[in-house]
Amino acid sequence: MNFRSGCPIASALDIVGDKWSLVIIRSMVMGATSYSDFLKTPEKIATNILAERLRRLELAGLILQAQARRGSIRGTYALTPKGAGLIPALQALGQWGEQNIPGRWKCPDRFNAARPEDFPR
Amino acid sequence: MNFRSGCPIASALDIVGDKWSLVIIRSMVMGATSYSDFLKTPEKIATNILAERLRRLELAGLILQAQARRGSIRGTYALTPKGAGLIPALQALGQWGEQNIPGRWKCPDRFNAARPEDFPR
DNA sequence: ACTTTTAACTTGCATTTTGCAAGAACAAAA
DNA sequence: TTTTGTTCTTGCAAAATGCAAGTTAAAAGT
């Protein structure tokens, strides 16, 4: 990874500062685990972008592919503690969106109650 | 603005979910007010991107151009309360970056102490 | 076992966004 | 009035994104 600077904020954005990464992680906090879960999402991510982002997030250590059933290459995705560490930032963004953009949905309680500790290992 | 969905998080990212917007706002929290202040930043933003982002952030109501000296079209930029509302999200991202990306700088105390209320009007 | 269906991707190509280099408009200073 | 520095604009190449279509592997049905 090559970072624009040593700033922790700019560097965080070098990793998840695109249009989709945090949307994917949001979905995982809400319980999504499979490729098709992510596609069901109302934001309608394109399949090539989704596949590329899952690869990138895994490489960055934010998510990992758990072997679902033996013999299967493809599995289900789970947040790592590192990925779950972004939950507070997501919640802050959600708060901001609710309060500053008209007509947004409310973040479900399950989302606001989520804590990084809920995603160990 | 057309949003991908009604989700407050996805919508927030439709506004500031690019590589530069939050870096610019970070700089403003740290005291940057002029075009040249933003260029001095270690991330080395390109001038065309900077100008476009300032226009866009102003249009979105996150920043505004205060008439610096009379007769001057160009002024200095300031965070609106709406823009300053992103401070908690930035701080959470900063925390995450410090804890999860090796070799990052520490966010200065001035940054962590900043509160949206510090930017009224 | 074998066909069908669904899930998990890949590929190709058009569109949009980003990045760099150069230069123009304006204000302040000399 | 020339110079200097700041604030933007323009043109073009490169990268990221979006859409449509196709491919591969696993699961489900017969």
Side-chain angles (χ1 to χ4, degrees), chain B residues 45-107:
Chain B
I45 187 170
T47 57
N48 57 341
I49 303 283
L50 175 56
E52 199 273 342
R53 280 304 177 290
L54 291 172
R55 221 178 299 130
R56 210 159 86 181
L57 291 173
E58 186 172 17
L59 197 72
L62 304 193
I63 67 177
L64 52 77
Q65 237 175 326
Q67 209 94 342
R69 24 194 187 292
R70 69 161 253 112
S72 157
I73 295 171
R74 286 128 176 197
T76 84
Y77 297 91
L79 275 180
T80 62
K82 185 170 171 182
L86 286 165
I87 290 175
L90 283 175
Q91 288 165 335
L93 270 180
Q95 276 283 112
W96 184 85
E98 282 185 23
Q99 294 169 3
N100 293 282
I101 315 176
R104 298 307 95 187
W105 309 329
K106 279 199 54 182
C107 291

Short mmCIF file of all heavy atoms in Angstrom, two decimals, chain B residues 45-107:
data_model
loop_
_atom_site.label_atom_id
_atom_site.label_comp_id
_atom_site.label_asym_id
_atom_site.label_seq_id
_atom_site.Cartn_x
_atom_site.Cartn_y
_atom_site.Cartn_z
N ILE B 45 -2.47 17.59 -2.89
CA ILE B 45 -3.66 17.56 -3.74
C ILE B 45 -3.41 18.37 -5.01
O ILE B 45 -2.76 19.41 -4.98
CB ILE B 45 -4.89 18.10 -2.98
CG1 ILE B 45 -6.16 17.91 -3.80
CG2 ILE B 45 -4.70 19.56 -2.58
CD1 ILE B 45 -7.44 18.18 -3.03
N ALA B 46 -3.90 17.85 -6.14
CA ALA B 46 -3.75 18.58 -7.40
C ALA B 46 -4.69 19.78 -7.41
O ALA B 46 -5.78 19.74 -6.83
CB ALA B 46 -4.06 17.67 -8.58
N THR B 47 -4.25 20.84 -8.08
CA THR B 47 -4.99 22.10 -8.01
C THR B 47 -6.38 22.01 -8.62
O THR B 47 -7.33 22.61 -8.10
CB THR B 47 -4.21 23.21 -8.72
OG1 THR B 47 -3.96 22.81 -10.07
CG2 THR B 47 -2.90 23.50 -8.02
N ASN B 48 -6.52 21.28 -9.69
CA ASN B 48 -7.85 21.17 -10.31
C ASN B 48 -8.82 20.42 -9.40
O ASN B 48 -9.98 20.81 -9.27
CB ASN B 48 -7.77 20.50 -11.69
CG ASN B 48 -7.13 19.14 -11.64
OD1 ASN B 48 -6.43 18.81 -10.67
ND2 ASN B 48 -7.36 18.34 -12.63
N ILE B 49 -8.32 19.39 -8.75
CA ILE B 49 -9.16 18.64 -7.82
C ILE B 49 -9.55 19.52 -6.63
O ILE B 49 -10.70 19.55 -6.22
CB ILE B 49 -8.42 17.39 -7.29
CG1 ILE B 49 -7.97 16.51 -8.45
CG2 ILE B 49 -9.30 16.61 -6.32
CD1 ILE B 49 -9.03 15.70 -9.07
N LEU B 50 -8.58 20.25 -6.12
CA LEU B 50 -8.85 21.11 -4.98
C LEU B 50 -9.95 22.12 -5.31
O LEU B 50 -10.93 22.26 -4.57
CB LEU B 50 -7.58 21.84 -4.54
CG LEU B 50 -7.76 22.87 -3.43
CD1 LEU B 50 -8.40 22.26 -2.19
CD2 LEU B 50 -6.44 23.53 -3.08
N ALA B 51 -9.80 22.80 -6.44
CA ALA B 51 -10.79 23.81 -6.82
C ALA B 51 -12.17 23.19 -6.99
O ALA B 51 -13.18 23.72 -6.51
CB ALA B 51 -10.36 24.49 -8.12
N GLU B 52 -12.20 22.01 -7.61
CA GLU B 52 -13.49 21.35 -7.84
C GLU B 52 -14.12 20.93 -6.51
O GLU B 52 -15.33 21.06 -6.31
CB GLU B 52 -13.28 20.15 -8.77
CG GLU B 52 -14.54 19.64 -9.45
CD GLU B 52 -15.29 18.62 -8.60
OE1 GLU B 52 -14.69 18.04 -7.66
OE2 GLU B 52 -16.48 18.42 -8.86
N ARG B 53 -13.31 20.42 -5.60
CA ARG B 53 -13.83 19.96 -4.31
C ARG B 53 -14.34 21.12 -3.46
O ARG B 53 -15.37 21.02 -2.80
CB ARG B 53 -12.76 19.23 -3.52
CG ARG B 53 -12.55 17.81 -3.95
CD ARG B 53 -13.82 17.01 -3.91
NE ARG B 53 -13.56 15.67 -4.41
CZ ARG B 53 -13.31 15.38 -5.67
NH1 ARG B 53 -13.33 16.30 -6.60
NH2 ARG B 53 -13.07 14.13 -6.03
N LEU B 54 -13.61 22.23 -3.49
CA LEU B 54 -14.04 23.39 -2.72
C LEU B 54 -15.41 23.85 -3.24
O LEU B 54 -16.31 24.14 -2.46
CB LEU B 54 -13.01 24.51 -2.81
CG LEU B 54 -11.68 24.22 -2.08
CD1 LEU B 54 -10.65 25.29 -2.39
CD2 LEU B 54 -11.91 24.11 -0.57
N ARG B 55 -15.56 23.86 -4.55
CA ARG B 55 -16.84 24.24 -5.15
C ARG B 55 -17.93 23.28 -4.68
O ARG B 55 -19.02 23.67 -4.27
CB ARG B 55 -16.72 24.19 -6.69
CG ARG B 55 -17.41 25.33 -7.40
CD ARG B 55 -17.21 25.24 -8.92
NE ARG B 55 -15.81 25.32 -9.32
CZ ARG B 55 -15.20 24.47 -10.14
NH1 ARG B 55 -15.86 23.45 -10.68
NH2 ARG B 55 -13.93 24.61 -10.44
N ARG B 56 -17.61 21.99 -4.73
CA ARG B 56 -18.59 20.97 -4.39
C ARG B 56 -18.96 20.99 -2.91
O ARG B 56 -20.13 20.86 -2.56
CB ARG B 56 -18.02 19.60 -4.76
CG ARG B 56 -19.07 18.61 -5.14
CD ARG B 56 -18.51 17.49 -5.96
NE ARG B 56 -17.97 16.40 -5.14
CZ ARG B 56 -17.40 15.30 -5.65
NH1 ARG B 56 -17.29 15.18 -6.96
NH2 ARG B 56 -16.95 14.36 -4.87
N LEU B 57 -17.97 21.16 -2.07
CA LEU B 57 -18.23 21.19 -0.63
C LEU B 57 -19.04 22.44 -0.28
O LEU B 57 -19.89 22.40 0.61
CB LEU B 57 -16.91 21.17 0.15
CG LEU B 57 -16.13 19.86 0.10
CD1 LEU B 57 -14.77 19.99 0.77
CD2 LEU B 57 -16.94 18.72 0.74
N GLU B 58 -18.78 23.54 -0.99
CA GLU B 58 -19.55 24.75 -0.73
C GLU B 58 -21.00 24.54 -1.18
O GLU B 58 -21.94 24.87 -0.45
CB GLU B 58 -18.93 25.93 -1.49
CG GLU B 58 -19.61 27.25 -1.15
CD GLU B 58 -18.88 28.45 -1.73
OE1 GLU B 58 -18.05 28.27 -2.65
OE2 GLU B 58 -19.15 29.58 -1.27
N LEU B 59 -21.16 23.96 -2.36
CA LEU B 59 -22.49 23.65 -2.87
C LEU B 59 -23.26 22.74 -1.91
O LEU B 59 -24.47 22.90 -1.70
CB LEU B 59 -22.37 22.97 -4.24
CG LEU B 59 -23.64 22.96 -5.08
CD1 LEU B 59 -23.92 24.35 -5.62
CD2 LEU B 59 -23.53 21.96 -6.23
N ALA B 60 -22.55 21.81 -1.31
CA ALA B 60 -23.19 20.89 -0.37
C ALA B 60 -23.41 21.53 1.00
O ALA B 60 -23.99 20.91 1.89
CB ALA B 60 -22.33 19.62 -0.22
N GLY B 61 -22.92 22.76 1.16
CA GLY B 61 -23.15 23.47 2.41
C GLY B 61 -22.22 23.06 3.54
O GLY B 61 -22.50 23.34 4.71
N LEU B 62 -21.12 22.41 3.21
CA LEU B 62 -20.20 21.98 4.27
C LEU B 62 -19.18 23.05 4.60
O LEU B 62 -18.63 23.10 5.70
CB LEU B 62 -19.47 20.70 3.87
CG LEU B 62 -20.31 19.49 3.50
CD1 LEU B 62 -19.45 18.25 3.44
CD2 LEU B 62 -21.43 19.28 4.48
N ILE B 63 -18.90 23.89 3.61
CA ILE B 63 -17.96 25.00 3.83
C ILE B 63 -18.57 26.25 3.22
O ILE B 63 -19.52 26.16 2.43
CB ILE B 63 -16.58 24.74 3.19
CG1 ILE B 63 -16.68 24.73 1.66
CG2 ILE B 63 -16.00 23.42 3.67
CD1 ILE B 63 -15.34 24.54 0.96
N LEU B 64 -18.03 27.40 3.55
CA LEU B 64 -18.44 28.61 2.86
C LEU B 64 -17.25 29.54 2.72
O LEU B 64 -16.27 29.45 3.44
CB LEU B 64 -19.61 29.29 3.56
CG LEU B 64 -19.53 29.58 5.04
CD1 LEU B 64 -18.67 30.80 5.30
CD2 LEU B 64 -20.94 29.83 5.57
N GLN B 65 -17.38 30.41 1.70
CA GLN B 65 -16.31 31.32 1.40
C GLN B 65 -16.62 32.64 2.09
O GLN B 65 -17.58 33.33 1.73
CB GLN B 65 -16.22 31.52 -0.11
CG GLN B 65 -14.86 31.17 -0.66
CD GLN B 65 -14.83 31.26 -2.15
OE1 GLN B 65 -15.82 30.97 -2.82
NE2 GLN B 65 -13.72 31.68 -2.70
N ALA B 66 -15.84 32.97 3.07
CA ALA B 66 -16.03 34.24 3.75
C ALA B 66 -15.28 35.32 2.99
O ALA B 66 -14.13 35.11 2.60
CB ALA B 66 -15.52 34.15 5.19
N GLN B 67 -15.97 36.43 2.71
CA GLN B 67 -15.32 37.55 2.02
C GLN B 67 -14.17 38.05 2.90
O GLN B 67 -14.40 38.65 3.95
CB GLN B 67 -16.34 38.68 1.82
CG GLN B 67 -16.06 39.53 0.60
CD GLN B 67 -16.86 39.02 -0.60
OE1 GLN B 67 -17.33 37.87 -0.62
NE2 GLN B 67 -17.00 39.85 -1.62
N ALA B 68 -12.95 37.80 2.47
CA ALA B 68 -11.81 38.15 3.31
C ALA B 68 -11.62 39.68 3.35
O ALA B 68 -11.80 40.31 4.37
CB ALA B 68 -10.54 37.49 2.79
N ARG B 69 -11.28 40.23 2.23
CA ARG B 69 -11.08 41.68 2.13
C ARG B 69 -12.09 42.20 1.12
O ARG B 69 -12.41 41.51 0.15
CB ARG B 69 -9.65 42.00 1.70
CG ARG B 69 -9.04 40.85 0.95
CD ARG B 69 -7.59 40.81 0.71
NE ARG B 69 -7.31 39.67 -0.18
CZ ARG B 69 -7.47 38.38 0.20
NH1 ARG B 69 -7.87 38.09 1.41
NH2 ARG B 69 -7.22 37.40 -0.65
N ARG B 70 -12.60 43.42 1.32
CA ARG B 70 -13.65 43.92 0.42
C ARG B 70 -13.11 44.08 -1.01
O ARG B 70 -11.93 44.35 -1.22
CB ARG B 70 -14.30 45.23 0.94
CG ARG B 70 -13.41 46.45 0.90
CD ARG B 70 -14.23 47.78 0.99
NE ARG B 70 -14.27 48.51 -0.30
CZ ARG B 70 -15.37 48.66 -1.04
NH1 ARG B 70 -16.53 48.21 -0.64
NH2 ARG B 70 -15.33 49.31 -2.21
N GLY B 71 -13.99 43.89 -1.98
CA GLY B 71 -13.57 44.01 -3.37
C GLY B 71 -12.95 42.72 -3.90
O GLY B 71 -12.72 42.57 -5.08
N SER B 72 -12.70 41.78 -3.01
CA SER B 72 -12.08 40.53 -3.44
C SER B 72 -13.13 39.44 -3.63
O SER B 72 -13.95 39.20 -2.75
CB SER B 72 -11.06 40.09 -2.37
OG SER B 72 -10.84 38.72 -2.46
N ILE B 73 -13.11 38.84 -4.79
CA ILE B 73 -14.03 37.72 -5.05
C ILE B 73 -13.61 36.51 -4.22
O ILE B 73 -14.41 35.84 -3.61
CB ILE B 73 -14.04 37.35 -6.55
CG1 ILE B 73 -14.60 38.49 -7.37
CG2 ILE B 73 -14.88 36.09 -6.76
CD1 ILE B 73 -14.45 38.30 -8.85
N ARG B 74 -12.33 36.27 -4.25
CA ARG B 74 -11.82 35.12 -3.52
C ARG B 74 -11.67 35.44 -2.04
O ARG B 74 -11.21 36.50 -1.66
CB ARG B 74 -10.48 34.68 -4.10
CG ARG B 74 -10.67 33.98 -5.42
CD ARG B 74 -9.78 34.59 -6.44
NE ARG B 74 -9.88 33.86 -7.71
CZ ARG B 74 -8.97 33.99 -8.65
NH1 ARG B 74 -7.93 34.74 -8.47
NH2 ARG B 74 -9.12 33.35 -9.78
N GLY B 75 -12.05 34.50 -1.25
CA GLY B 75 -11.99 34.76 0.19
C GLY B 75 -11.29 33.64 0.89
O GLY B 75 -10.47 32.93 0.32
N THR B 76 -11.63 33.45 2.11
CA THR B 76 -11.06 32.35 2.86
C THR B 76 -12.20 31.41 3.20
O THR B 76 -13.35 31.83 3.33
CB THR B 76 -10.39 32.85 4.15
OG1 THR B 76 -11.40 32.97 5.16
CG2 THR B 76 -9.73 34.20 3.94
N TYR B 77 -11.86 30.17 3.30
CA TYR B 77 -12.89 29.15 3.51
C TYR B 77 -13.08 28.86 4.99
O TYR B 77 -12.13 28.88 5.76
CB TYR B 77 -12.51 27.88 2.78
CG TYR B 77 -12.43 28.08 1.28
CD1 TYR B 77 -11.25 28.44 0.65
CD2 TYR B 77 -13.58 27.94 0.49
CE1 TYR B 77 -11.19 28.64 -0.72
CE2 TYR B 77 -13.53 28.14 -0.88
CZ TYR B 77 -12.33 28.48 -1.48
OH TYR B 77 -12.29 28.69 -2.83
N ALA B 78 -14.31 28.58 5.36
CA ALA B 78 -14.60 28.21 6.75
C ALA B 78 -15.59 27.06 6.79
O ALA B 78 -16.44 26.92 5.89
CB ALA B 78 -15.16 29.42 7.49
N LEU B 79 -15.48 26.23 7.80
CA LEU B 79 -16.43 25.14 7.99
C LEU B 79 -17.77 25.69 8.47
O LEU B 79 -17.83 26.53 9.35
CB LEU B 79 -15.91 24.17 9.07
CG LEU B 79 -14.95 23.07 8.65
CD1 LEU B 79 -14.58 22.24 9.86
CD2 LEU B 79 -15.59 22.19 7.58
N THR B 80 -18.84 25.19 7.89
CA THR B 80 -20.17 25.49 8.42
C THR B 80 -20.46 24.50 9.55
O THR B 80 -19.73 23.51 9.71
CB THR B 80 -21.23 25.29 7.33
OG1 THR B 80 -21.21 23.91 6.94
CG2 THR B 80 -20.98 26.18 6.13
N PRO B 81 -21.53 24.72 10.32
CA PRO B 81 -21.90 23.73 11.33
C PRO B 81 -22.14 22.36 10.71
O PRO B 81 -21.75 21.33 11.27
CB PRO B 81 -23.20 24.29 11.90
CG PRO B 81 -23.08 25.77 11.70
CD PRO B 81 -22.36 25.94 10.39
N LYS B 82 -22.72 22.35 9.53
CA LYS B 82 -22.94 21.08 8.83
C LYS B 82 -21.61 20.38 8.55
O LYS B 82 -21.47 19.18 8.77
CB LYS B 82 -23.70 21.34 7.53
CG LYS B 82 -24.08 20.11 6.75
CD LYS B 82 -25.02 20.50 5.62
CE LYS B 82 -25.29 19.34 4.65
NZ LYS B 82 -26.16 19.76 3.54
N GLY B 83 -20.65 21.13 8.05
CA GLY B 83 -19.33 20.56 7.79
C GLY B 83 -18.65 20.12 9.07
O GLY B 83 -18.04 19.04 9.14
N ALA B 84 -18.77 20.96 10.09
CA ALA B 84 -18.13 20.64 11.37
C ALA B 84 -18.77 19.43 12.03
O ALA B 84 -18.16 18.77 12.88
CB ALA B 84 -18.19 21.85 12.30
N GLY B 85 -20.00 19.13 11.62
CA GLY B 85 -20.67 17.94 12.14
C GLY B 85 -19.93 16.66 11.81
O GLY B 85 -20.17 15.61 12.42
N LEU B 86 -19.02 16.74 10.85
CA LEU B 86 -18.25 15.55 10.48
C LEU B 86 -17.06 15.30 11.39
O LEU B 86 -16.39 14.26 11.30
CB LEU B 86 -17.77 15.67 9.03
CG LEU B 86 -18.87 15.47 7.98
CD1 LEU B 86 -18.41 15.96 6.62
CD2 LEU B 86 -19.24 13.98 7.90
N ILE B 87 -16.80 16.24 12.28
CA ILE B 87 -15.62 16.10 13.16
C ILE B 87 -15.60 14.78 13.92
O ILE B 87 -14.57 14.09 13.92
CB ILE B 87 -15.51 17.31 14.11
CG1 ILE B 87 -15.11 18.55 13.31
CG2 ILE B 87 -14.50 17.06 15.22
CD1 ILE B 87 -15.08 19.86 14.11
N PRO B 88 -16.70 14.35 14.54
CA PRO B 88 -16.65 13.06 15.25
C PRO B 88 -16.29 11.89 14.34
O PRO B 88 -15.53 11.00 14.73
CB PRO B 88 -18.08 12.90 15.79
CG PRO B 88 -18.60 14.29 15.91
CD PRO B 88 -17.98 15.04 14.76
N ALA B 89 -16.80 11.91 13.12
CA ALA B 89 -16.45 10.84 12.17
C ALA B 89 -14.97 10.90 11.85
O ALA B 89 -14.29 9.85 11.79
CB ALA B 89 -17.30 10.96 10.91
N LEU B 90 -14.43 12.09 11.65
CA LEU B 90 -13.00 12.23 11.36
C LEU B 90 -12.16 11.75 12.53
O LEU B 90 -11.13 11.08 12.34
CB LEU B 90 -12.66 13.70 11.08
CG LEU B 90 -13.06 14.23 9.71
CD1 LEU B 90 -12.78 15.72 9.62
CD2 LEU B 90 -12.27 13.49 8.62
N GLN B 91 -12.58 12.08 13.74
CA GLN B 91 -11.83 11.65 14.90
C GLN B 91 -11.83 10.13 15.03
O GLN B 91 -10.82 9.51 15.35
CB GLN B 91 -12.39 12.32 16.17
CG GLN B 91 -12.04 13.80 16.22
CD GLN B 91 -12.85 14.58 17.24
OE1 GLN B 91 -13.95 14.18 17.60
NE2 GLN B 91 -12.31 15.72 17.70
N ALA B 92 -12.99 9.53 14.75
CA ALA B 92 -13.07 8.06 14.80
C ALA B 92 -12.16 7.44 13.75
O ALA B 92 -11.46 6.46 14.02
CB ALA B 92 -14.51 7.61 14.59
N LEU B 93 -12.14 8.02 12.56
CA LEU B 93 -11.25 7.52 11.51
C LEU B 93 -9.80 7.67 11.91
O LEU B 93 -8.96 6.80 11.65
CB LEU B 93 -11.48 8.29 10.21
CG LEU B 93 -12.52 7.76 9.24
CD1 LEU B 93 -12.59 8.66 8.02
CD2 LEU B 93 -12.18 6.33 8.81
N GLY B 94 -9.48 8.79 12.53
CA GLY B 94 -8.12 9.05 12.98
C GLY B 94 -7.68 8.03 14.03
O GLY B 94 -6.58 7.47 13.95
N GLN B 95 -8.54 7.78 14.97
CA GLN B 95 -8.28 6.76 15.99
C GLN B 95 -7.98 5.42 15.34
O GLN B 95 -7.03 4.72 15.70
CB GLN B 95 -9.54 6.57 16.85
CG GLN B 95 -9.68 7.54 17.98
CD GLN B 95 -8.78 7.20 19.14
OE1 GLN B 95 -7.83 7.93 19.43
NE2 GLN B 95 -9.03 6.04 19.77
N TRP B 96 -8.85 5.08 14.40
CA TRP B 96 -8.69 3.79 13.71
C TRP B 96 -7.35 3.73 12.99
O TRP B 96 -6.64 2.73 13.06
CB TRP B 96 -9.85 3.56 12.74
CG TRP B 96 -9.80 2.22 12.09
CD1 TRP B 96 -10.28 1.05 12.59
CD2 TRP B 96 -9.22 1.91 10.81
NE1 TRP B 96 -10.03 0.03 11.70
CE2 TRP B 96 -9.38 0.52 10.60
CE3 TRP B 96 -8.57 2.67 9.83
CZ2 TRP B 96 -8.93 -0.12 9.46
CZ3 TRP B 96 -8.12 2.03 8.68
CH2 TRP B 96 -8.30 0.64 8.50
N GLY B 97 -7.02 4.79 12.28
CA GLY B 97 -5.76 4.83 11.54
C GLY B 97 -4.56 4.68 12.46
O GLY B 97 -3.63 3.91 12.18
N GLU B 98 -4.59 5.40 13.56
CA GLU B 98 -3.47 5.31 14.52
C GLU B 98 -3.29 3.89 15.03
O GLU B 98 -2.19 3.39 15.15
CB GLU B 98 -3.74 6.21 15.73
CG GLU B 98 -3.47 7.68 15.48
CD GLU B 98 -3.64 8.50 16.75
OE1 GLU B 98 -3.52 7.92 17.85
OE2 GLU B 98 -3.90 9.70 16.64
N GLN B 99 -4.43 3.24 15.33
CA GLN B 99 -4.37 1.93 15.96
C GLN B 99 -4.15 0.78 14.98
O GLN B 99 -3.69 -0.29 15.36
CB GLN B 99 -5.65 1.67 16.77
CG GLN B 99 -5.77 2.61 17.96
CD GLN B 99 -7.15 2.54 18.61
OE1 GLN B 99 -7.99 1.75 18.19
NE2 GLN B 99 -7.37 3.37 19.61
N ASN B 100 -4.51 1.00 13.73
CA ASN B 100 -4.49 -0.13 12.79
C ASN B 100 -3.54 -0.03 11.62
O ASN B 100 -3.39 -1.00 10.87
CB ASN B 100 -5.91 -0.39 12.27
CG ASN B 100 -6.83 -0.89 13.36
OD1 ASN B 100 -6.78 -2.04 13.74
ND2 ASN B 100 -7.63 0.02 13.91
N ILE B 101 -2.94 1.14 11.41
CA ILE B 101 -1.98 1.25 10.31
C ILE B 101 -0.62 1.61 10.92
O ILE B 101 -0.49 2.64 11.56
CB ILE B 101 -2.40 2.33 9.30
CG1 ILE B 101 -3.90 2.22 8.98
CG2 ILE B 101 -1.58 2.20 8.02
CD1 ILE B 101 -4.39 3.31 8.06
N PRO B 102 0.35 0.73 10.70
CA PRO B 102 1.67 0.96 11.31
C PRO B 102 2.31 2.24 10.79
O PRO B 102 2.13 2.61 9.63
CB PRO B 102 2.49 -0.26 10.83
CG PRO B 102 1.50 -1.28 10.39
CD PRO B 102 0.31 -0.51 9.92
N GLY B 103 3.03 2.90 11.68
CA GLY B 103 3.85 4.04 11.27
C GLY B 103 3.13 5.34 11.05
O GLY B 103 3.70 6.28 10.49
N ARG B 104 1.86 5.44 11.44
CA ARG B 104 1.13 6.71 11.24
C ARG B 104 1.53 7.71 12.32
O ARG B 104 1.92 7.33 13.42
CB ARG B 104 -0.39 6.50 11.29
CG ARG B 104 -0.96 5.57 10.23
CD ARG B 104 -0.56 5.94 8.84
NE ARG B 104 0.61 5.19 8.42
CZ ARG B 104 1.26 5.42 7.28
NH1 ARG B 104 0.89 6.36 6.45
NH2 ARG B 104 2.32 4.70 6.95
N TRP B 105 1.35 8.98 12.01
CA TRP B 105 1.55 10.02 13.01
C TRP B 105 0.42 9.92 14.03
O TRP B 105 -0.62 9.31 13.77
CB TRP B 105 1.48 11.41 12.37
CG TRP B 105 2.37 11.56 11.20
CD1 TRP B 105 3.57 10.92 10.99
CD2 TRP B 105 2.14 12.37 10.03
NE1 TRP B 105 4.09 11.31 9.78
CE2 TRP B 105 3.25 12.19 9.17
CE3 TRP B 105 1.12 13.25 9.64
CZ2 TRP B 105 3.36 12.84 7.95
CZ3 TRP B 105 1.24 13.89 8.42
CH2 TRP B 105 2.34 13.69 7.58
N LYS B 106 0.61 10.59 15.14
CA LYS B 106 -0.50 10.70 16.08
C LYS B 106 -1.31 11.94 15.73
O LYS B 106 -0.75 12.96 15.32
CB LYS B 106 0.03 10.86 17.52
CG LYS B 106 0.44 9.55 18.17
CD LYS B 106 0.51 9.73 19.69
CE LYS B 106 -0.81 10.29 20.22
NZ LYS B 106 -0.81 10.53 21.68
N CYS B 107 -2.62 11.87 15.83
CA CYS B 107 -3.42 13.06 15.62
C CYS B 107 -3.07 14.06 16.73
O CYS B 107 -3.02 13.70 17.90
CB CYS B 107 -4.91 12.74 15.70
SG CYS B 107 -5.51 11.75 14.34
#
